[in-house]
Amino acid sequence: MNAFLKDSFNEGHLRSILATVPDAMVVIDDRGRIMSFSTAAERMFGFSQAEVVGENVSLLMPSPDRERHDNYIERYRQTEERHILGIGRVMTARRRDGSTFPIELSVGEAKTPEGRVFTGFIRDLTEQQSVERRMHELQNELARVARISAVGSLTTALAHELNQPLAAITNYMEAAQELVDTSDADPEYLREAMSSAAEQAMRAAKIVSRLREFISRGEASRRTESLGKLVREATALALLGSGKDEIEMRVALDPQSDRVNVNGINVQQVLFNLVRNALDAMEDLPIKRIEISSEPVANGMVQLTISDTGSGILPEMADDLFEPFRSTKRSGMGLGLSICRTLVEAQGGRIWVEPGKAGGSRFSFTLPLSEPAIA
Ligand code: ADP
């Protein structure tokens, strides 16, 4: 095959690949100029290949990447330091009409006789993100239902069980009253009615103490857990589908205070609730930053602090934030923080809130550190 044939074979071959790859594919040279633009890219961005070949690829990006992209390439040329190469990354792209959409971009590099070229594969995440958003809604709904049914079934069971002794007490007391009203009643009957009522009152007290035992049973299933792992998992879950790229999450945990003696699921429930509340509080604000830190405190405890750049706690809410049914949200149950308090206290810790140093809120809670291993 001579050189000409070989080139035209490659070109035809390349074009057929470009026409069929499902992901959009954009090839640029080492100065950021577009060399080829696949059929899927034409559909995704609304530009034709002829319009964009030779243009700077920053055309497909919104600010601030649009202005910075030349610098990114230049920095790579000088330092060879990889920031995006070889890694899929979620970012925002811009269509011809100026609208933006989420994408996952993976970039590969090839050296050709004409110089270096970069190939970008782009997947439109719009669909995927709406799936995630839906999942997130479902998750919320699930969490809500779980809370309602946990509280609901407990109260129903409690009401049912307590109802019997209370009804019996009422009957015995009514009978006693009638006996008192009847002048010739046998005092023995009266004594019997009173002692039966007292018995039933004891039964009611036993039900209440059984309930207490049930609530504090969490204690039995405590074991050594890595706080770092609990934080990582709970925050990932809480952030799912909430537009991750906008939220700055800074986690700085003290590595010396990683081993805690807790019920892992309960601690994750607390973290999940606190992070979700922080996200809710930052919803309409331009700066969305959550910082999670830990430090050892007195009595073998570690203190975990979650601060946000949200709206802060309303003064009228401050006093009884951790009481049930206090909510400022349209669809809020106001149970999250009261459940957090029960769960933290079941681990032997406490939870409180302070105003953030630069606005927002700072929720802190303590957990018992594991005993150091005996050498
Ligand atoms: P819900 O989230 O259902 O309202 P919670 O008990 O979790 O119930 O929260 C109670 C209330 O506390 C919220 O409605 C909100 O007013 C306030 N709150 C909780 N966390 C924050 C936060 N990080 N920033 C500002 N306000 C908060």
Side-chain angles (χ1 to χ4, degrees):
M1 213 189 277
N2 67 31
F4 173 77
L5 269 181
K6 207 165 132 196
D7 276 347
S8 59
F9 167 79
N10 279 345
E11 169 114 27
H13 189 193
L14 183 65
R15 223 179 292 127
S16 74
I17 293 173
L18 284 182
T20 45
V21 278
D23 288 352
M25 188 173 134
V26 180
V27 183
I28 62 171
D29 66 15
D30 68 351
R31 288 164 62 195
R33 284 178 313 202
I34 298 175
M35 297 167 69
S36 75
F37 201 65
S38 74
T39 312
E42 290 183 323
R43 267 198 308 273
M44 196 179 284
F45 288 92
F47 284 112
S48 70
Q49 158 147 286
E51 280 174 303
V52 295
V53 165
E55 295 293 330
N56 193 307
V57 70
S58 62
L59 181 76
L60 309 175
M61 304 167 189
S63 291
D65 290 336
R66 195 181 176 87
E67 292 76 26
R68 293 184 191 154
H69 192 255
D70 286 348
N71 291 342
Y72 295 157
I73 296 191
E74 190 51 41
R75 186 180 56 196
Y76 177 62
R77 281 212 305 210
Q78 283 173 9
T79 64
E80 301 266 321
E81 217 173 82
R82 291 166 169 238
H83 285 268
I84 177 143
L85 279 174
I87 323 163
R89 191 181 269 195
V90 175
M91 28 202 320
T92 307
R94 185 173 180 273
R95 297 190 188 92
R96 181 192 189 139
D97 63 8
S99 58
T100 55
F101 61 108
I103 58 161
E104 184 177 345
L105 173 67
S106 335
V107 183
E109 179 188 12
K111 294 204 169 85
T112 70
E114 288 76 37
R116 225 197 294 247
V117 299
F118 300 101
T119 311
F121 284 95
I122 302 155
R123 176 166 301 160
D124 186 341
L125 295 182
T126 316
E127 190 51 31
Q128 196 176 326
Q129 292 217 338
S130 64
V131 169
E132 278 185 8
R133 210 169 306 131
R134 180 72 197 116
M135 251 176 75
H136 174 66
E137 280 167 19
L138 281 176
Q139 209 177 42
N140 258 344
E141 195 52 28
L142 256 176
R144 227 165 69 93
V145 171
R147 278 182 213 160
I148 298 171
S149 59
V151 176
S153 60
L154 214 65
T155 30
T156 318
L158 185 70
H160 184 74
E161 279 212 54
L162 279 178
N163 219 17
Q164 290 174 3
L166 291 178
I169 292 172
T170 313
N171 284 344
Y172 288 125
M173 293 315 259
E174 271 172 13
Q177 201 158 16
E178 271 172 33
L179 285 168
V180 171
D181 289 344
T182 324
S183 51
D184 59 347
D186 184 344
E188 191 50 37
Y189 287 146
L190 189 63
R191 195 171 298 120
E192 218 169 273
M194 300 295 273
S195 90
S196 299
E199 230 170 69
Q200 292 299 318
M202 293 291 288
R203 191 175 149 202
K206 264 199 200 125
I207 294 171
V208 173
S209 77
R210 266 218 326 270
L211 179 76
R212 284 226 190 88
E213 258 167 48
F214 172 78
I215 288 173
S216 59
R217 204 180 291 159
E219 193 121 352
S221 52
R222 274 159 56 170
R223 58 192 183 96
T224 297
E225 297 270 3
S226 155
L227 194 54
K229 178 171 167 278
L230 297 177
V231 169
R232 230 177 5 257
E233 288 177 359
T235 49
L237 200 63
L239 283 179
L240 194 72
S242 60
K244 277 185 216 76
D245 34 359
E246 275 181 52
I247 292 147
E248 197 185 328
M249 177 71 89
R250 295 186 188 164
V251 180
L253 300 181
D254 171 25
Q256 305 297 325
S257 316
D258 188 55
R259 315 303 291 170
V260 284
N261 181 28
V262 296
N263 177 304
I265 302 281
N266 288 353
V267 172
Q268 288 194 321
Q269 270 174 293
V270 174
L271 285 161
F272 180 88
N273 271 324
L274 295 180
V275 173
R276 293 308 302 268
N277 276 346
L279 294 175
D280 287 345
M282 301 190 297
E283 197 165 16
D284 303 320
L285 296 173
I287 298 175
K288 300 179 201 289
R289 189 168 57 238
I290 298 180
E291 291 179 12
I292 305 183
S293 61
S294 69
E295 57 173 323
V297 289
N299 302 327
M301 307 290 274
V302 56
Q303 177 177 330
L304 215 69
T305 300
I306 290 130
S307 41
D308 63 57
T309 53
S311 50
I313 305 295
L314 292 172
E316 64 268 31
M317 291 287 289
D319 285 343
D320 49 12
L321 207 63
F322 293 95
E323 295 299 318
F325 309 115
R326 302 286 191 282
S327 179
T328 53
K329 297 174 198 169
R330 235 180 311 131
S331 58
M333 287 280 297
L335 283 176
L337 289 178
S338 84
I339 290 175
C340 285
R341 186 171 63 181
T342 308
L343 295 178
V344 168
E345 287 175 358
Q347 327 285 316
R350 61 186 198 93
I351 183 167
W352 67 98
V353 65
E354 298 156 302
K357 287 195 182 103
S361 325
R362 265 168 77 91
F363 281 85
S364 300
F365 62 97
T366 55
L367 294 173
L369 285 164
S370 283
E371 297 289 325
I374 299 160

